[in-house]
Structures are given as C-alpha cells and as structure tokens.
Amino acid sequence: MGIAVGLPALKIILLAIIFLSILIEVKTGGSGFGALLGMIAAAIFWGSSYINGLVNIYHIALFLGGILFIIVELFTPATGIFAALGIVMMLYSIILALGGNLSAVYMLLGSFIIAIIIFIFIIKKLPASKLWSKIILVNSSTEEKGYISNIDNSSLLHKEGIVITELRPSGTALIDGTPVDVISEGSYIKKGEKIHVIQTTGGRVIVRKI
C-alpha cells in the first residue's frame, strides 16, 4: 500500500499546498519556491493515487497540461487566457482524481479556502508579477506613491531611465528616481532594460530601448 493519501484530510492538505504554490507563483512571476513546494505535494498526491489505482495517465496528463498553460502565461505577453485555461484543466483533473462527485467538489473547495487563508497572511511579503497585476489592480498610479502620470511630462523628454515592470507595451520605468507610467515604442521591453524618452504627449510618455 503506497503513501496513505486516501485519507480525506491528507488529500485536502496536499491540495491546499498545491493551490498555495500556484498562488505564490502567480504573485511572484516564477520565483521557484512556489513551484518546488507544489511539485513535492503534487508528486505525493498523484504518485500515491496512481500506485493505488485511483487515477490514470489521462488525469495526470490533464493536470500537467494545466501547469504548462500557466507557465506559458507567466513567460509570454499573453492576456490571461492561458492561465484561465490551465486553472480549469487542473481543477477538473483534481475533481476526477477525488472521485468526480459532490464530495470531491467539497474537498476541492476546502483545500482552496485553506490555501487562500495562508496566502492572505504572506501576500504582502511576496513581490508582484505582471500576471498578478493583470488579475488584481494593486498598484494605482497616485501622486502619493510618487507617480507623475497624467500630468505635463514634457520635462522628461530625452531623459533616460530603467524599466521596473515589463513593458507590454505599457508599464513603469524609473526616471530621475521617480516611477513613471510609460509606453514602449511598440515593442516588448524586459524589466531592468535601459530606456530613453522619445516623446511626451499629454500624460503619455513614450520610450525606446537603448
């Protein structure tokens, strides 16, 4: 008999760890810690279930396919569709693995609630990724935070700065020590790249990679 993953309480704990790892990766944009935590929990959950004949290759493949879509979302300038599809695939595979009945849904919800509660306690300590900004608008550009968007930016023309969030094509750059909402000249620019301002039109600051 493999690892005693058949116990409902243990299944809920393992699933909570998996969900928590996904939330951490979405929040941080691929830090690696969440992925390692999730892989360990997923290996125990799926490996033991497969050995005990509770799941088949199709269920595991569906789960892994969901992870793949989320990874694609994290590392490409997508709009969230891959992440949404990946999450649906993962949830469906887990429900099937838990029996595909109402009890499976309750266990899934219970584990997700546990993950959310833990995530709330650690969320402020984690860096925010571009995907997280797409999902939840946590960084409003206000003067209190030092942003100078939607004002006369003509003084920034021809100045140089560093990208502090990925430009796809919009994002934030640090210019003269101040975060500024900018738009790249049509191309994707990675975080950390040097840019210079080539045009200012009203509140729009258009930059080009150096």
Side-chain angles (χ1 to χ4, degrees), residues 5-27:
V5 74
L7 297 174
L10 184 54
K11 285 185 175 181
I12 290 175
I13 292 173
L14 290 173
L15 290 176
I17 294 174
I18 293 173
F19 289 138
L20 179 61
S21 71
I22 295 171
L23 291 172
I24 291 174
E25 284 300 293
V26 171
K27 179 65 165 64

Side-chain angles (χ1 to χ4, degrees), residues 79-210:
T79 58
I81 184 65
F82 289 118
L85 184 58
I87 291 172
V88 170
M89 290 172 64
M90 293 178 67
L91 294 178
Y92 181 59
S93 67
I94 291 172
I95 291 176
L96 292 178
L98 295 174
N101 51 26
L102 192 59
S103 296
V105 176
Y106 289 148
M107 292 176 65
L108 188 68
L109 290 176
S111 61
F112 189 68
I113 290 173
I114 293 173
I116 288 293
I117 292 174
I118 298 175
F119 186 65
I120 289 173
F121 282 102
I122 66 174
I123 185 172
K124 291 184 178 180
K125 298 179 180 180
L126 302 173
S129 68
K130 190 68 175 180
L131 176 58
W132 180 257
S133 299
K134 292 178 185 176
I135 299 173
I136 300 177
L137 298 176
V138 294
N139 292 321
S140 59
S141 299
T142 62
E143 292 184 13
E144 289 78 5
K145 292 184 179 180
Y147 287 83
I148 58 172
S149 59
N150 296 323
I151 61 175
D152 183 11
N153 292 310
S154 58
S155 62
L156 299 177
L157 189 61
H158 304 310
K159 289 192 175 182
E160 297 183 0
I162 298 177
V163 176
I164 57 178
T165 67
E166 296 173 327
L167 306 185
R168 304 185 177 181
S170 62
T172 306
L174 193 65
I175 304 175
D176 284 348
T178 303
V180 181
D181 290 333
V182 300
I183 301 174
S184 72
E185 190 186 28
S187 60
Y188 165 74
I189 303 178
K190 296 188 297 183
K191 179 180 177 181
E193 296 281 3
K194 292 184 178 181
I195 51 88
H196 71 278
V197 180
I198 62 171
Q199 182 180 347
T200 60
T201 306
R204 291 164 56 90
V205 178
I206 302 174
V207 300
R208 178 184 296 164
K209 177 180 175 181
I210 297 177

